[in-house]
Amino acid sequence: MRKKIIAGNWKMNKTVEEAVELANAIKISLADCSEVDVVLCPPFTAIKAVSDVVSETLINVGSQNMSSEDAGAYTGEISATMLKELFVRYVILGHSERRQYYKENDFWINKKVVKALAKNLRPILCVGEMLADREAGNTEKVVEVQVREGLKDVPASAYTDLVIAYEPVWAIGTGKTATSAQAQEVHAFIRGIVADMVGKDAANAVRIQYGGSMKPDNAKELLSQPDIDGGLIGGAALDAASFIGIVKAGL
Ligand code: PGA
């Protein structure tokens, strides 16, 4: 049985003060939530403050990106060690916005995944097709390349610490959710690729989240699909009641 994981990706939102307020509101309901892994991913500037708020709870903190390098002359970058110092446990890597706007490619994303695992951080590797890919019938082709390249050189034993987020780019922030059947189909496909890469046990262990306009009212149906093990939530994670509603849908 895979434990569900619901992560809030706050993107470039929330000042420190606003982040503390949101984390506190979430903490009231979810501090002791042990049935679902809850992860809050604030912007870098608010990580310390959010870590302090949730320090004695079961709520985890994640970051939205990370450098592939250990230290040195990499202006603007943040290392795994720096994140761990702030009690970060999860790190979102290869989000479609990073791929699209900052030209991150599978090669660099893979380096980050491997680095995160080496530093005992849990990567949330994002994959997903653009609308044009889906319309051209290329969804599987695109997702397969992202999974195989992104997880290159990751040993089977690491898959219990790894999360894959399937986020169809056309569903992110658009209000268009993939139907539960569309999402389930791709999730099962991804699990099959993992099985082919590193074997059935790792494929059964890896958690695959859905992301893209997940809300309290569509979460239950998505989360009840056999291969959907959680959600990566953008817009709805900025509001405590919506985020809590999604976590509760996963119970
Ligand atoms: P959304 O974003 O929930 O606002 O669609 C999801 C994501 O980008 O992780």
Side-chain angles (χ1 to χ4, degrees):
M1 257 308 269
R2 295 179 295 267
K3 190 175 181 183
K4 294 243 184 324
I5 174 166
I6 306 288
N9 173 10
W10 297 1
K11 307 193 179 183
M12 197 171 72
N13 295 293
K14 305 291 176 189
T15 61
V16 172
E17 193 182 335
E18 290 163 349
V20 166
E21 188 184 320
L22 177 56
N24 268 315
I26 290 168
K27 176 177 155 177
I28 292 170
S29 290
L30 301 178
D32 303 321
C33 178
S34 57
E35 303 96 320
V36 174
D37 283 333
V38 176
V39 187
L40 307 182
C41 305
F44 287 124
T45 47
I47 287 179
K48 169 83 171 71
V50 170
S51 277
D52 286 347
V53 170
V54 301
S55 65
E56 277 165 24
T57 74
L58 296 178
I59 299 169
N60 298 282
V61 177
S63 71
Q64 300 172 20
N65 191 14
M66 187 199 85
S67 172
S68 58
E69 306 306 313
D70 282 330
Y74 300 100
T75 302
E77 293 290 292
I78 309 272
S79 74
T81 305
M82 293 167 182
L83 295 172
K84 289 188 69 179
E85 200 175 23
L86 305 182
F87 304 102
V88 166
R89 287 204 71 198
Y90 290 84
V91 50
I92 298 170
L93 295 173
H95 189 279
S96 64
E97 286 147 19
R98 306 255 7 131
R99 293 178 190 260
Q100 239 183 308
Y101 307 142
Y102 304 101
K103 306 291 171 238
E104 284 196 17
N105 61 26
D106 291 322
F107 173 82
W108 287 104
I109 294 164
N110 173 248
K111 282 188 71 149
K112 293 180 182 193
V113 169
V114 169
K115 177 63 70 183
L117 287 166
K119 297 285 182 181
N120 284 319
L121 285 168
R122 299 176 163 188
I124 299 177
L125 170 67
C126 301
V127 300
E129 81 286 3
M130 314 269 281
L131 184 58
D133 300 323
R134 179 162 281 265
E135 286 176 347
N138 287 336
T139 297
E140 294 195 346
K141 211 160 94 191
V142 168
V143 169
E144 176 160 8
V145 169
Q146 291 175 345
V147 170
R148 285 190 186 274
E149 298 290 312
L151 298 176
K152 202 164 153 274
D153 299 328
V154 172
S157 59
Y159 279 73
T160 44
D161 288 331
L162 182 85
V163 179
I164 300 170
Y166 169 59
E167 301 202 301
V169 180
W170 48 271
I172 294 179
T174 57
K176 283 188 200 151
T177 328
T179 64
S180 50
Q182 279 174 324
Q184 165 57 27
E185 193 183 354
V186 182
H187 281 234
F189 174 73
I190 291 171
R191 207 176 294 288
I193 297 168
V194 173
D196 184 57
M197 288 171 73
V198 286
K200 272 219 148 69
D201 289 350
N204 281 332
V206 71
R207 294 184 290 180
I208 309 176
Q209 295 176 311
Y210 170 79
S213 299
M214 203 192 256
K215 306 262 171 341
D217 59 358
N218 60 26
K220 197 149 202 98
E221 161 135 20
L222 285 159
L223 294 170
S224 63
Q225 301 301 309
D227 288 293
I228 301 185
D229 307 313
L232 183 54
I233 322 300
L238 297 174
D239 174 75
S242 307
F243 184 69
I244 293 162
I246 294 171
V247 173
K248 299 235 153 116
L251 293 177

